Amino acid sequence: MLHSPRTVSDVMTHTVVAVGREAPFKEIVALMEQWKVSALPVLEGEGRVIGVVSEADLLPKEEFRDSDPTRFDQLRRLSDLAKAGGVAAGEVMSSPAVTVHPDTTLPQAARIMALRHVKRLPVVDAHGLLQGVVSRSDLLKVFLRTDEELADEVRRTVVAFLFPEGTVTVAVEGGVVTIGGVIHDRGLVPVAARLARTVEGVVDVRMDLAEPVRTPPR
């Protein structure tokens, strides 16, 4: 049986520091410093995520503090200039927030972070209510799995599935999987490599498979 992919719910942080729309600017900065985070979800009502305020949202206030923006900046950076004058979370936050659901797979979450250039994603339920936060470091937790764990999962979900005859071995060192042994169908090699790479925590896959030696007829 193939393994089920890990999802955001497996690695996310459930205890989340968040602020309301009216949270003052200095309180936001103090919370970020206290909790060592770079962004905070902004909530409304019973916990619905309406935006995110990040360090990048706060920096325009310092950037434009002692200088007048040029005409070019006024045209090109209207949003940043508006945030420079904000005094509360609702005035400086990025909205709508980029969020994910708990059942989002880890590769999907990683792609969203890369494409949207964010370090943290609020995790929300079907109603938009905050459930947790997933960060880049959370997504990297899968690489903390031991070599023994990885080898066991590759054996169970890849080798036993494709090569039940028991002639294939699995070795893992530093997260790098080596699949070796004797097989009867070379067409399964790329399939095995692809499936092994889907195991969370695998750094790379190397194939060392050979076909059985056939003795020529006399």
Side-chain angles (χ1 to χ4, degrees):
M1 179 183 294
L2 297 180
H3 67 282
S4 298
R6 292 196 175 192
T7 64
V8 163
S9 63
D10 295 321
V11 300
M12 71 181 189
T13 300
H14 293 270
T15 303
V16 182
V17 183
V19 294
R21 184 191 292 272
E22 303 303 322
F25 189 99
K26 290 192 70 172
E27 179 183 319
I28 297 169
V29 176
L31 284 171
M32 286 183 177
E33 171 63 24
Q34 178 183 350
W35 293 96
K36 307 301 179 187
V37 294
S38 59
L40 298 171
V42 182
L43 308 183
E44 192 169 64
E46 297 180 353
R48 183 169 58 88
V49 179
I50 59 171
V52 171
V53 58
S54 68
E55 293 171 335
D57 295 318
L58 304 179
L59 280 176
K61 185 173 289 293
E62 179 65 17
E63 179 183 356
F64 296 111
R65 179 173 58 84
D66 59 356
S67 63
D68 294 324
T70 65
R71 177 65 175 168
F72 179 72
D73 280 339
Q74 290 177 11
L75 293 173
R76 186 173 62 94
R77 302 181 61 190
L78 288 175
S79 176
D80 286 344
L81 288 169
K83 291 178 180 181
V87 296
E91 298 168 332
V92 298
M93 69 182 181
S94 296
S95 181
V98 181
T99 62
V100 291
H101 294 292
D103 59 356
T104 302
T105 66
L106 300 189
Q108 288 172 335
R111 282 193 289 270
I112 292 171
M113 286 186 185
L115 291 173
R116 301 302 294 268
H117 304 289
V118 295
K119 299 177 181 178
R120 296 160 61 85
L121 292 168
V123 183
V124 301
D125 64 13
H127 305 288
L129 301 181
L130 185 65
Q131 304 295 301
V133 167
V134 64
S135 66
R136 290 175 178 175
S137 61
D138 291 328
L139 297 184
L140 293 174
K141 288 177 182 176
V142 294
F143 293 104
L144 297 177
R145 300 181 73 193
T146 67
D147 289 344
E148 290 76 15
E149 288 179 285
L150 297 176
D152 179 65
E153 184 164 342
V154 173
R155 290 188 190 102
R156 287 186 294 103
T157 64
V158 180
V159 172
F161 180 71
L162 294 176
F163 311 111
E165 59 271 16
T167 58
V168 172
T169 62
V170 176
V172 183
E173 184 174 353
V176 178
V177 175
T178 300
I179 299 178
V182 177
I183 60 172
H184 296 277
D185 185 356
R186 295 290 299 178
L188 293 176
V189 173
V191 179
R194 185 167 64 250
L195 290 177
R197 286 191 177 93
T198 66
V199 173
E200 280 89 353
V202 168
V203 175
D204 197 9
V205 177
R206 297 170 182 172
M207 308 301 289
D208 187 20
L209 294 166
E211 294 184 52
V213 177
R214 291 180 172 84
T215 303
R218 293 181 180 180

